[in-house]
Amino acid sequence: MTDPARISYIPLESNPDVFNTVTHSLGATNLEWHDVLSLDEPDLLALVPRPVLALALIFPTNDRYEAAKREIESRRDPYTGTGEAEDLIWYKQTIYNACGTYAILHAVSNGAARGLVDPNSAFGELIARCKALDAKDRPRALEESVELRAAHEKAAVQGDTAAPANAAVEVDYHYTAFAPSPTTHRVCELDGDKKGPLDTGLTLGGDGDMLSPAIVDLIKGYIARDGISPYFGLIALVQRQ
């Protein structure tokens, strides 16, 4: 049974054009998303403009994934960062099926990408508003954002896959983002469905590229943990030329 009080969005297709629609509709027009077509073929990796500022990974969810997530999360405390002292900006996901938009929010709100956002744009104002809020109020700000909903709805009807008629229908795929801290340059997984940012143990290199060999190996590890389905999608955020 679905919860009638739960806010639900139509899920986004794993497509850079769809992600660009959300990003640009919110005013972050000097950023853009590109498909990462391979993690093994140098010629295909070279097609992605550099440096990559952040990554969004889509992968299938299954019982193995959910069990591993529960085990890891049981050992972590909920995130409480807020205000100017906050290093990373993390958003708890409370909008059902909106994990694609939360991946966009996490990617654009952190690392070098944040500095490229016009503070007077809808995206810039949303980041500033959320940064000042505590953990319980930040999700509400996203739920109540007319601009965020409009940008998502505009993008959700794009792409090659027909959008589901019911936004509350459960889907079997999930997005997570990877972005660096703007101060320590530690690479973190930013997933709104978890308790907070998860430090991957990697530090961004001096070139600022989130598709370095070490990070590529990290992403391969996330893909390999599924062990059942070969399907995944990876989209890279870069500065628009």
Side-chain angles (χ1 to χ4, degrees):
M1 179 180 296
T2 60
D3 180 358
R6 180 173 62 182
I7 298 174
S8 301
Y9 284 4
I10 297 294
L12 296 183
E13 181 178 276
S14 176
N15 180 321
D17 291 336
V18 172
F19 272 49
N20 282 331
T21 294
V22 175
T23 305
H24 296 165
S25 295
L26 291 170
T29 54
N30 54 352
L31 296 168
E32 64 183 7
W33 294 87
H34 289 259
D35 265 328
V36 179
L37 300 175
S38 173
L39 293 174
D40 299 301
E41 297 294 333
D43 290 345
L44 293 178
L45 272 172
L47 295 176
V48 182
R50 304 299 177 86
V52 169
L53 306 176
L55 297 164
L57 175 70
I58 183 173
F59 55 91
T61 57
N62 52 33
D63 291 343
R64 177 177 171 177
Y65 164 77
E66 294 293 348
K69 184 180 75 172
R70 284 194 299 271
E71 197 279 327
I72 293 171
E73 293 299 285
S74 69
R75 295 183 272 111
R76 300 212 299 150
D77 294 325
Y79 178 73
T80 57
T82 186
E84 291 305 316
E86 181 179 22
D87 185 32
L88 284 158
I89 300 178
W90 179 79
Y91 305 95
K92 174 67 177 175
Q93 182 178 342
T94 56
I95 303 173
Y96 191 63
N97 278 342
C99 55
T101 288
Y102 280 86
I104 294 169
L105 288 166
H106 283 129
V108 175
S109 299
N110 291 290
R114 190 197 308 176
L116 296 172
V117 177
D118 180 353
N120 296 315
S121 67
F123 218 137
E125 291 176 353
L126 190 62
I127 291 172
R129 187 184 319 141
C130 288
K131 188 175 177 65
L133 297 174
D134 61 25
K136 71 177 185 302
D137 292 326
R138 187 174 294 177
R140 190 177 307 122
L142 297 181
E143 292 173 2
E144 295 175 352
S145 173
V146 175
E147 296 85 0
L148 185 66
R149 177 183 283 275
H152 181 103
E153 289 180 347
K154 181 179 179 181
V157 296
Q158 297 179 335
D160 300 323
T161 305
N166 185 354
V169 171
E170 184 175 359
V171 294
D172 297 326
Y173 294 91
H174 184 64
Y175 288 95
T176 191
F178 295 86
S181 154
T183 55
T184 67
H185 310 296
R186 297 283 284 186
V187 176
C188 291
E189 179 190 2
L190 297 159
D191 185 342
D193 200 33
K194 295 184 176 179
K195 288 184 177 180
L198 188 63
D199 192 326
T200 67
L202 297 179
T203 300
L204 191 64
D207 59 1
D209 185 21
M210 283 286 293
L211 268 183
S212 68
I215 297 175
V216 167
D217 286 343
L218 172 75
I219 299 300
K220 287 180 179 179
Y222 272 77
I223 294 166
R225 72 186 176 185
D226 174 40
I228 298 173
S229 169
Y231 180 80
F232 74 94
L234 188 65
I235 313 177
L237 181 68
V238 305
Q239 183 173 6
R240 194 173 187 179
Q241 302 299 315

